[in-house]
Amino acid sequence: MPLPPHELVLIYEPEAACRRLLLADGHGDRQALEISSYLAQSTDLALEFDEIAAACAQRGISFRPVMLDDASAYLSTVDTARCLVWTLTDGIAYFRGGAAPALARLRGIPTIGSDDTLFALCQDKFRAGAVLKALGLPVPEAGLARDGDWIAPPPESTSGYFVKPNRLGAKIGIWVDSRCDSADKALELSRRIFADYRDDAVVQSYVAGRNVRASFLAVSPAAGNQELGVFFVDSGADFQTMSDSMALYGDTGAGARAEGFYAEPELRPVLAAQPEADRRIREIGAALMRKLGLRDVFSFDLRVEADNTVHLIEFEVCPGLPCFDFRAYCRSQWGMSLAAAIAETAANRLLV
């Protein structure tokens, strides 16, 4: 009797499912829409499931996208020796994707991506920053506030502060005034964050420079920091806000594109303009892999000053695969479409 085909299982949490849970938990309509927009890559990548399936079939493996709520039941049926789990979105608080790699570990199924403990760490910016600092990485000093009270006061900063929710991504809770000059203003912003999202606020010392995104996909299992894609992300502003992000992706982004409000930031290789900064960023990438344990697929955000000073802002274990920057990385580094890069990565793990 022939063996069943090797299978890539992609587990994802839909925006609509997340919104239903947020509304049931008492969040307002606007807040539920904003928070669930973090899962926009699930909406966008679903449009390419057929293309991914075809790319996988060309490599002799099958592709099965599975919604998070169905994951436990489905994983109980697979041949664990011929299956690979790829978790599309993380989450431990407002989102639940961090459960997927844990379910795979419980069943003894190999995964694409970092250890499931890092799925929890990356969703807590304050704790993640403390760990990165302890590992000797160049992260800005930060404090933590809850609804106008300091949990951990930030150090004095002559450059002011940048305030953002602690457990939310995709620029949720980042407004045009999120950069502020005083600790009192930072506490005021923490009250707004708590009122809107019930979240603590990370208060980082503001650091100057251009925004940089470093992306990584180990299409080849031997890939290392030289396979990072390191790009300036120029949006025409000092930083992107929640409204900027919601105009790019998912359910809300589809409406923005239909109405002509879609505008992608420009990507420029850091190597071309600041080779020393590029070298330092790749060293940071190597440290994140060696010291923190990032692997397979991840991204991290930085600020780079004109004198090549590099500031590590945060890391992400589930980068936005269908986002413009990750697609550009797959094309420039691997010469592949997103679907082909996903399929090739999975085949190089399964067919060994």
Side-chain angles (χ1 to χ4, degrees), residues 28 33 49 51 65-66 73 81 101 116 176 210 298 338 340 345:
L33 179 65
F49 284 167
E51 185 179 350
V66 176
D116 49 282
V176 292
R210 294 169 69 184
F298 60 84
L338 176 63
T345 302

Side-chain angles (χ1 to χ4, degrees), residues 289-309:
M289 288 186 266
R290 181 172 61 87
K291 296 181 178 183
L292 192 62
L294 292 186
R295 67 180 188 226
D296 296 338
V297 58
F298 60 84
S299 66
F300 53 99
D301 293 326
L302 313 103
R303 298 273 276 184
V304 173
E305 300 189 47
D307 66 357
N308 295 315
T309 298

Side-chain angles (χ1 to χ4, degrees), residues 254-322:
R257 289 189 290 272
E259 295 175 18
F261 296 124
Y262 177 76
E264 289 181 355
E266 293 185 5
L267 298 175
R268 302 178 187 276
V270 173
L271 179 64
Q274 293 182 243
E276 175 60 20
D278 180 88
R279 185 189 66 79
R280 293 181 183 182
I281 291 167
R282 293 181 189 279
E283 288 182 348
I284 290 171
L288 288 170
M289 288 186 266
R290 181 172 61 87
K291 296 181 178 183
L292 192 62
L294 292 186
R295 67 180 188 226
D296 296 338
V297 58
F298 60 84
S299 66
F300 53 99
D301 293 326
L302 313 103
R303 298 273 276 184
V304 173
E305 300 189 47
D307 66 357
N308 295 315
T309 298
V310 175
H311 308 276
L312 174 60
I313 304 301
E314 60 190 41
F315 70 92
E316 176 63 75
V317 296
C318 288
L321 298 183

Side-chain angles (χ1 to χ4, degrees), residues 86-278:
W86 191 325
T87 302
L88 184 62
T89 47
D90 52 28
I92 55 168
Y94 306 88
F95 321 106
R96 301 168 292 143
L103 285 171
R105 183 158 60 91
L106 183 66
R107 289 279 296 141
I109 305 170
T111 61
I112 286 286
S114 300
D115 184 274
D116 49 282
T117 59
L118 292 179
F119 277 67
L121 182 64
C122 80
Q123 284 266 310
D124 190 318
K125 296 182 178 66
F126 183 72
R127 291 178 183 176
V131 170
L132 295 172
K133 191 76 173 178
L135 293 175
L137 292 162
V139 294
E141 298 285 349
L144 188 70
R146 180 178 300 151
D147 195 19
D149 292 320
W150 290 117
I151 305 299
E156 293 290 330
S157 174
T158 58
S159 60
Y161 300 99
F162 192 81
V163 184
K164 57 189 176 183
N166 186 45
R167 297 176 301 167
L168 290 166
K171 312 299 185 292
I172 301 161
I174 295 178
W175 303 293
V176 292
D177 59 348
S178 289
R179 179 189 175 186
C180 61
D181 294 329
S182 70
D184 286 343
K185 177 62 176 178
L187 285 178
E188 180 184 325
L189 286 166
S190 81
R191 295 186 188 95
R192 182 178 176 188
I193 287 170
F194 191 84
D196 276 8
Y197 309 113
R198 308 177 196 169
D199 200 7
D200 296 341
V202 175
V203 181
Q204 286 182 333
S205 297
Y206 174 81
V207 291
R210 294 169 69 184
N211 296 309
V212 169
R213 168 67 54 82
S215 301
F216 181 79
L217 179 64
V219 173
S220 164
N225 68 327
Q226 292 308 308
E227 282 70 44
L228 280 166
V230 183
F231 292 93
F232 288 115
V233 184
D234 293 326
S235 65
D238 185 29
F239 56 89
Q240 286 185 285
T241 66
M242 177 174 56
S243 59
D244 296 329
S245 180
M246 291 182 71
L248 288 175
Y249 313 114
D251 290 341
T252 55
R257 289 189 290 272
E259 295 175 18
F261 296 124
Y262 177 76
E264 289 181 355
E266 293 185 5
L267 298 175
R268 302 178 187 276
V270 173
L271 179 64
Q274 293 182 243
E276 175 60 20
D278 180 88

Side-chain angles (χ1 to χ4, degrees), residues 28-69:
D29 290 343
R30 175 178 63 82
Q31 288 81 6
L33 179 65
E34 291 170 354
I35 293 169
S36 64
S37 72
Y38 180 78
L39 302 173
Q41 69 161 315
S42 296
T43 301
D44 293 340
L45 195 62
L47 302 174
E48 299 176 64
F49 284 167
D50 288 346
E51 185 179 350
I52 297 170
C56 285
Q58 289 174 359
R59 291 161 174 82
I61 61 178
S62 66
F63 172 67
R64 176 64 69 99
V66 176
M67 289 188 291
L68 182 62
D69 289 327

